[in-house]
Structure formats: structure tokens, C-alpha cells
Amino acid sequence: MPSLVSPRTLVPSLAALLCAAAPAAHAQTTVTLFGSTEYLTGSDVYANQTAPSPHRATQTFSINPSTPTSTTRNLTVASGTNVNGGTLGGPGVANWTGTMPDVFLGFTGQASGSNINTNLTIRTQFQNNGAGDFIHINTYQESSSNTIAAGLNYRLAGAIMFQAPAPIALGNLTSLSYATGATSYAAGTSATHRVVVRDSASGTFYVSSANNFAATGSISLTGSDWAVLSATDLRSVGTFAAPSFAQIDYIGIYSDSTVTTTASITGFTRVNGFTLSQLSYSAIPEPSSAAALFGACALAGAALRRRRRA
């Protein structure tokens, strides 16, 4: 006949198990939103240029010798504004093989110092490299005959964002890591990377004071201040201060870069750009599961003490 476990043995065993398990709920977790996955095979795919403004992901603007000119794609996470939606990655695109998470982005490009009248185009581009795919926000000169002399001043501010699998308490967000391709920026570019998030309550976008100047790196967010990022001009960042929001639902990387070209730019030559190949963040899980475990642990401990007194 099998032996029975007495209540006196069961209660302390349960308490020990619960107390041992509870601290594990505080472990930091890392979520990879975009990484080394084959979504594409073969040729590159460019996002839409013909959708209604301001949501088209590829935009052309004129530059000239006399005045600075710019173009903006509004940063938005509204339904239907992801840049890999619609036919991009859907039926009819034979070289799209995987299910890439929805990519939301915005950018502002500004040029001055051109010696000629011509056009620049900012293109959102998805590229296969055989080991994992890239998202590019690239700028090209859109002319087969014009040549822009050295000395063009160009600034590109852009954000690439993904929806978090679950809302995150801002205080639990500890760091973000990103990786870019070798062709992220033109020679001589100065770039600042920050974390960009969306306040789930107000829908406002914020960027971190914590930053990294390297093309690939990690940004620690412990104690970071935050500033409002304009969704209609991504060059515009407010004053950094202690956060006034508590929870986020979208997260990504923000890059603000400037370059003064040192060589001529011929037809269809790339001026500058930003590339993302991997993005992940680390956070402490919400305390609900930990609280449940600690509560059960406390109840079991109280039961044990009552039995001992009896």
C-alpha cells in the first residue's frame, strides 16, 4: 500500500517550493522584435510610394542651391500604416517568405548646400543578405544626368518601431540593443541613436536621453530622462525630463544623423541612410505573477505556523 504524505509534511514542502519559485518571477527577460530571420529571398523589396501622403514610405523632394528643403513621413502606428503591409509581403510577392512583424516608421530628411536643382528620394527598403534581413531608410539622388558636387549638407532623422508583445511598465524597461548593417551611413556621418517608445495612454512618442553613437550597440535605460518626439518632424525633440508616463506599447530605435558629403554624388547614388538588422529589449516582467507567488508563499507560511502552534 503506498504511503501517504501527512499534512504536516505537505505544508512546509509547499511553502518551500513557492518561496523558491517567487524570486524567479523578477528575472529580467529579453524580447527580440526583429532579428536574424529570413523573411526575404532574392531581390530587395521597396515599400509603397503611391499610397496617400503622409503614409507613403518612399518620398521624393526637390533640392536647390538657395534654400534648405525637407520632406517628412509622419511617425504613426495607426492601423494600416505599417510599411510592410498590403501587397508588400502579401500575395503576389514571390520572394517574401516569412512573417515579419509589422514595421512602423517615420523620417525627416533635410538638404542644403546643393550646387544644382535636382531631387532626392528617401526609400524604405527591405533587403535579404542570406543570414538575416535588413530594413533600410536610404536616401538617393533621383537623376541619371545630374551630379551634386561635394559639400551637400544632409540630415536624416528616423524612427523604426514595433509593437511590444505586451504593454511594458516604463520602470521595468532596462535596456535596448540594436544592430545595423555595414552600409548604414555615408562616410563622415555623425549619428546619435536613442530609444523611441509610445506612451500607451496618450499615444505620444518619446525618445530617451540615454543614447549610443555606435552603429551597433546597447542603450541602458535605467534612470534615463525622456523627451517628446514630434511625429510630424522627426528632427524636433523636446526637453529631456523625468518621465511623466508609466506604460508603453510600442518600442524601437531612433537615429538622427548628419553628413557633409566629401565626394560628388552622381545619378542614383546613395547619399545617406539608416539600416536596422536586429532589435531587442530587456525588461523586468510585470509583478502580477510574482505577487501571486509571494502571496501563496505567505499563506503557506502562515498555515505552517498555525499547525506548529497547534
Side-chain angles (χ1 to χ4, degrees):
M1 180 177 178
S3 60
L4 298 176
V5 178
S6 73
R8 289 180 180 272
T9 304
L10 178 62
V11 172
S13 298
L14 179 62
L17 287 171
L18 288 169
C19 290
H26 290 284
Q28 182 172 289
T29 61
T30 298
V31 177
T32 299
L33 294 168
F34 181 69
S36 299
T37 303
E38 281 292 327
Y39 299 109
L40 293 174
T41 59
S43 62
D44 301 348
V45 176
Y46 290 91
N48 202 329
Q49 186 172 10
T50 59
S53 179
H55 300 315
R56 64 181 190 268
T58 297
Q59 297 183 191
T60 299
F61 68 108
S62 299
I63 63 173
N64 61 73
S66 58
T67 58
T69 59
S70 64
T71 187
T72 292
R73 182 194 195 271
N74 290 356
L75 178 60
T76 171
V77 296
S79 176
T81 63
N82 57 306
V83 295
N84 55 326
T87 58
L88 181 60
V93 181
N95 62 342
W96 197 275
T97 62
T99 305
M100 181 185 287
D102 288 345
V103 179
F104 297 91
L105 58 81
F107 53 74
T108 298
Q110 179 184 27
S112 64
S114 175
N115 65 309
I116 58 171
N117 295 316
T118 188
N119 294 321
L120 298 181
T121 294
I122 303 176
R123 295 185 179 276
T124 301
Q125 174 185 1
F126 297 88
Q127 184 177 20
N128 168 64
N129 76 339
D133 298 320
F134 292 85
I135 305 168
H136 295 282
I137 303 176
N138 280 335
T139 304
Y140 300 92
Q141 190 210 170
E142 289 294 316
S143 171
S144 60
S145 58
N146 291 333
T147 297
I148 305 174
L152 177 71
N153 302 309
Y154 184 68
R155 180 179 179 184
L156 177 65
I160 299 177
M161 303 191 73
F162 302 84
Q163 185 174 18
I168 310 165
L170 183 65
N172 290 347
L173 187 62
T174 57
S175 64
L176 179 140
S177 298
Y178 62 96
T180 63
T183 59
S184 294
Y185 301 101
T189 300
S190 172
T192 304
H193 299 91
R194 304 182 188 275
V195 178
V196 57
V197 299
R198 191 183 85 138
D199 172 18
S200 59
S202 68
T204 303
F205 295 101
Y206 290 87
V207 291
S208 63
S209 60
N211 62 74
N212 194 326
F213 299 104
T216 295
S218 180
I219 300 174
S220 174
L221 295 169
T222 303
S224 177
D225 289 334
W226 297 84
V228 173
L229 173 66
S230 170
T232 58
D233 182 351
L234 279 87
R235 299 166 299 178
S236 178
V237 173
T239 302
F240 290 103
S244 58
F245 59 103
Q247 183 173 271
I248 66 169
D249 52 3
Y250 287 81
I251 184 170
I253 190 75
Y254 171 79
S255 173
D256 189 359
S257 65
T258 58
V259 64
T260 299
T261 60
T262 57
S264 296
I265 301 170
T266 56
F268 302 110
T269 299
R270 179 176 173 274
V271 179
N272 201 13
F274 170 57
T275 299
L276 181 68
S277 61
Q278 293 187 38
L279 184 86
S280 60
Y281 68 85
S282 296
I284 300 169
E286 286 297 314
S288 55
S289 57
L293 285 171
F294 279 115
C297 177
L299 289 173
L304 174 60
R305 290 191 296 271
R306 286 196 298 270
R307 296 193 70 85
R308 284 176 175 170
R309 286 197 299 269

